Amino acid sequence: MLELIARPADMTPEWMTRALREAGVLGEGRVSALDYEYIGTGKIGDNARFTLHYAGDASGAPATVVGKFAAEDETARSLAGAQGAYYTEVMFYRHLAERTAMRIPTVYASVISEARDEFILLMQDLAPAEPGSQLIGATLAQTRMVLGEAAKLAAAFYGDDSVMELDFVMNAARNGSGELAQQYLQQCWPTFLERFGENLSEEAKAFGARYVNAHNHFATRHPGPRTLVHGDLRIENILFTDDSCWTVDWQTPQISSPVTDITYFLGSSVEVEDRRKWEREIIGEYHERLAGLGVDLPFEEVWAQYREQSMHGLLLTILGSSFSSPGERSDRMFRTVIERQLQHCLDLDAGDFLP
């Protein structure tokens, strides 16, 4: 069994050789040396690209790989470990990734500590694919790529009861987790408004407060068939080329509506005016894509779920800010996203689904 390598600086050629051999991508050759550089802007994890140098026959072996590690920041690492984020991602790749046609990176090795607060995922390097930017927002072409990927995931697990009780898949209807999340939201909301609410309208603030006090109702009321969703399908968790995309950061898979992921993407990662222009067309295309994959829902039901699930991202944005230290870019991102999300809810009259 591979031992845990907790930091990029601790990686050795010997460990890398063994991991790649066990994954079946390295034959008789060996990794003789390696270099690394940090990549990405993760809040609760650190990513490093390793450039590999080989001795012997290394035909077919990757020239570079990506390692994902727990955050070096002790506070972020402790919070993420306690909430099960690292364990969840490792378990998703081990047990569920191969069941969907959604494009996701190949994992060569995964190790997690007994306390679940340190881990490594050694993954395929998807460069030159690059993540989008929350601050810039998605193009129509990117949005169409994402709807196709979201439909693949939703269809793969639609109505599949086998995933409902997995301990690494979030399910708000289980063990009172919706009530607990509501308590956290109520604690965080005043501070969140102080940090990120300066440009919010009074109507948006009022809706946010209403949602915070009714989160458990929203999280547990969906009556129809459910599926596994990514849960945080926003543009910075997706790597794009000109004609394809791959989804990463599987720390929040959960049971929800089959419309949740595409709704969240439109509400958090698309500029408000663009979303208003595109949403009918995009949801229509998504409905058709689901039908082609065997998920038979009337368009009226898909649209109703789209309206309701516009609230999905509020939890992630409000609670996610607790992982974020003040900084110019991260503060801009949270302000941008919450403004988009609350306007999304208001535009779609999402309050119709709250008590």
Side-chain angles (χ1 to χ4, degrees):
M1 179 180 293
L2 289 166
E3 69 272 20
L4 176 65
I5 300 291
R7 299 289 178 270
D10 297 331
M11 181 59 70
T12 66
E14 292 76 20
W15 191 98
M16 189 70 72
T17 296
R18 184 176 174 188
L20 295 179
R21 283 180 177 168
E22 290 183 3
V25 295
L26 178 62
E28 295 301 316
R30 62 181 177 85
V31 178
S32 57
L34 52 82
D35 308 301
Y36 75 90
E37 60 177 340
Y38 283 102
I39 57 174
T41 58
K43 296 292 187 297
I44 61 174
D46 295 328
N47 295 283
R49 173 176 290 118
F50 292 90
T51 300
L52 308 180
H53 308 277
Y54 293 98
D57 182 8
S59 55
T64 58
V65 294
V66 170
K68 185 168 186 176
F69 303 84
E72 287 194 30
D73 180 83
E74 184 175 354
T75 300
R77 184 172 67 252
S78 297
L79 285 169
Q83 294 188 6
Y86 303 145
Y87 173 73
T88 293
E89 186 159 29
V90 168
M91 291 299 106
F92 170 81
Y93 279 112
R94 286 182 181 177
H95 300 290
L96 296 180
E98 64 182 15
R99 293 180 56 186
T100 175
M102 193 181 202
R103 290 189 184 97
I104 56 180
T106 298
V107 168
Y108 302 124
S110 63
V111 186
I112 188 165
S113 66
E114 186 174 351
R116 301 180 180 179
D117 60 351
E118 299 278 8
F119 79 109
I120 179 175
L121 284 169
L122 188 69
M123 300 182 289
Q124 172 189 11
D125 185 1
L126 296 170
E130 294 182 339
S133 168
Q134 298 295 146
L135 299 178
I136 296 173
T139 66
L140 181 57
Q142 288 174 325
T143 302
R144 284 199 165 108
M145 290 183 215
V146 172
L147 80 83
E149 295 301 298
K152 292 176 188 176
L153 180 65
F157 295 94
Y158 184 68
D160 183 352
D161 292 340
S162 70
V163 298
M164 300 297 177
E165 298 302 323
L166 294 174
D167 69 345
F168 59 91
V169 173
M170 287 183 280
N171 186 347
R174 181 179 63 208
N175 300 330
S177 61
E179 294 180 1
L180 183 61
Q182 181 170 313
Q183 293 172 17
Y184 286 144
L185 283 166
Q186 290 168 329
Q187 293 170 13
C188 292
W189 178 243
T191 302
F192 181 87
L193 273 184
E194 288 179 12
R195 288 182 65 186
F196 308 113
E198 61 189 67
N199 296 325
L200 293 176
S201 67
E202 292 305 313
E203 185 182 20
K205 292 177 183 177
F207 183 87
R210 184 181 174 192
Y211 160 79
V212 161
N213 290 311
H215 168 78
N216 185 51
H217 174 85
F218 161 72
T220 58
R221 74 171 295 279
H222 178 62
R226 297 181 292 173
T227 191
L228 182 78
V229 302
H230 180 279
D232 193 14
L233 194 68
R234 57 188 180 86
I235 196 168
E236 292 187 358
N237 287 338
I238 304 168
L239 305 182
F240 293 91
T241 63
D242 289 341
D243 58 3
S244 57
C245 64
W246 286 261
T247 302
V248 297
D249 284 353
W250 289 88
Q251 295 168 340
T252 56
Q254 56 199 266
I255 302 303
S256 190
S257 157
V259 188
T260 293
D261 277 339
I262 189 60
T263 303
Y264 175 59
F265 184 85
L266 282 167
S268 66
S269 299
V270 177
E271 293 278 16
V272 170
E273 290 305 318
D274 287 337
R275 188 259 305 159
R276 287 169 172 163
K277 288 186 293 186
W278 304 342
E279 61 190 347
R280 276 278 177 181
E281 180 179 359
I282 290 297
I283 297 304
E285 291 180 18
Y286 186 73
H287 170 249
E288 293 175 0
R289 192 67 62 92
L290 284 179
L293 293 169
V295 178
D296 186 17
L297 290 170
F299 176 77
E300 293 75 16
E301 176 61 21
V302 171
W303 185 257
Q305 290 185 30
Y306 172 64
R307 292 178 56 218
E308 181 174 3
Q309 292 302 316
S310 62
M311 294 181 279
H312 166 81
L314 298 177
L315 172 74
L316 290 168
T317 303
I318 296 167
L319 296 190
S321 67
S322 66
F323 289 106
S324 177
S325 301
E328 181 181 356
R329 189 190 185 281
S330 62
D331 286 0
R332 284 179 61 205
M333 186 193 76
F334 281 112
R335 281 195 295 269
T336 298
V337 171
I338 196 62
E339 289 164 17
R340 288 175 183 161
Q341 289 175 330
L342 286 172
Q343 191 59 55
H344 193 202
C345 295
L346 293 172
D347 286 350
L348 294 172
D349 293 322
D352 291 349
F353 301 95
L354 295 178

